[in-house]
Structure formats: structure tokens, C-alpha cells
Amino acid sequence: MNYQTLLLEKKENVTIVKINRPDKLNALNAVTLDELKQVFISLRNDESVSVIILTGSGEKAFVAGADISEINKLDMISAKAFAEKGQEIFYSIENMNKPVIAAVNGFALGGGCELALSCHIRLASDNAKFGQPEVNLGIIPGYGGTQRLTRLINSGRSAEYIFTGDMIDANEALRIGLVNRIYPQQELLDKTIELAKKISSKGQQAIRLTLKAINMVDQVSDTEGQKYEASLFAICCGTEDFKEGTSAFLEKRKPNFKNR
Ligand code: COA
């Protein structure tokens, strides 16, 4: 399928989804959101894809937010639908059946920060800048930022950044746990592909069940989460990957996972 605002590239079992509106710093308009929804539906069902990388075109921005020319036209009724639509798509990314890594290659502001937050892992270039500057537009984050940022970096920090709209540079993002690693801009994509390939070399049944378990953390109590983990652990032990992984260890050889 051809997309107007996305570029897709495949490297073995890794698919790179690049948001491609560099003249607008990859701002998310309605078309981009619809295409993101579509691409994640099709990647969910594509068995040849193990890991997805999400990044932005150019060297300046990952995504500089929702498209302000569209926000400007919202009224109270359309605004609710606007926020709910973005939230639903970002929720589907968070609950994807395979890992999604954000390669944050510049500004990740507003909806761009929220998009990165909905990914499972964030790596950043040294020029990356995160932030929730909605307050400067007289609004609050609407694509999950108040919730995900607060859970990730704690409520005091999240409140300060959302109240002030201040940007968070790459070093600060690393310090507060917003990103896992920082790389020079030119190395970011290669390093992200390296990580994605490492993950894709593991048994994908275990990776998918790990995602389910991790995503349960915010939904249920610790006791319920541990019960769920035990059930997923039991499912793992019914897979061919489990037989192969444990046998390979005992036979002192590399496992050859079939993802079954
Ligand atoms: N929505 C729509 N257009 C956007 C945009 C957004 N969120 N962010 C950037 N753009 C557009 C600019 O309007 C400009 O378009 P133009 O060339 O047609 O005028 C182009 O992208 C380049 O942006 P510009 O502002 O000229 O770049 P800059 O380097 O001077 O500043 C930013 C970069 C990111 C600091 C600045 O673009 C900005 O503050 N963007 C808005 C961030 C924001 O508030 N996001 C949250 C939205 S909810």
C-alpha cells in the first residue's frame, strides 16, 4: 500500500515507518493519523515483521506535534473526537503485538512526544528535544501525554513540564528516564536497527507475551499482574520456541527459533 505521509522500509524482520512531512516538521495531520492507524493494522498481521521502528523524516524533527492548523479549527465537540481518535491510535501502538521502538531524531513535541511515549522503547539523537508545549496554545495534551508522561517520569516532573511547556533536551531526557540511550544524529537509525535486529533474533512468542505482561502493569494490581505473568509463563512453556531455547542451551548450541 502507498502512503501519502509515511515512508516504509524493511530490513529483514524490521520495518521502519518514517513520518514524512519534513516541511511541516512531520506534524501529525488527519491524513498522517489515518495512515498511522492503517500501517499499524497491516504490520500487526504481517508475520514477516518482528519489530517496528518509528521515526521522522529529515534531521530536525521526529514529530513537532499535532498539526496546529487543524487544531485551530476545533470546537468543543470536534475537539473531543480529535483527542479520542489520536488516543485510540496511540493506544493501538502501545498494545501492538510486536515491539515498537521510537528513534527520536529531533523535536518530539506535543503529539510527537505523546507518540514517542506510546512506543515501548525510545532512543534519541543528541539534538532531540521533547516537550508538551500545549499550554502555549491554551490547551492541554490530548493524546495521552498527561497520563503516560506522568507514569514514566513521575508526577512532579511531568506537572512542571506540562505547566511550563519547557523543552527537555536529550541529556535531561536520558537522566529522567524518558529515553534509554542517546546517539549522534548520524548513528541513531543504525543503532536503532541494531537493537531491533537483536530483539528480532529472539523467540517472538516470548517477546509478544512479554509485551502483554508489561502492558498489564498500569491496568491491574501487582497481585493480579503476577498471576497474569504466571499464566503467560505457562503459555510460553507450551511453545516450540521454549523446547528449542531450553534444548539449545543444554546442547551448548545457538537456538533456532521458529516463532511457534
Ligand atoms: N503544526 C503545524 N505546523 C507546524 C508544527 C505543528 N505542530 N510545527 C512546525 N510546523 C511548521 C511551521 O509552521 C513551519 O511551516 P511553514 O514553513 O509553512 O511556515 C515549518 O513547520 C517549520 O517550522 P518553524 O516553526 O519555521 O521551525 P523552527 O525551527 O523555527 O521552530 C519549533 C521549530 C518546533 C520550535 C516550532 O516549529 C514549534 O514550536 N512548533 C510547534 C510545536 C508545538 O506547539 N507542538 C504541539 C502542538 S499540540
Side-chain angles (χ1 to χ4, degrees), residues 23-25 27 60 64-68 71 107 109-110 133-134 137:
D23 53 325
K24 296 291 177 192
L25 304 187
K60 201 168 165 186
D67 193 312
I68 299 171
I71 292 179
F107 291 113
L109 302 175
E134 287 85 350
L137 305 170

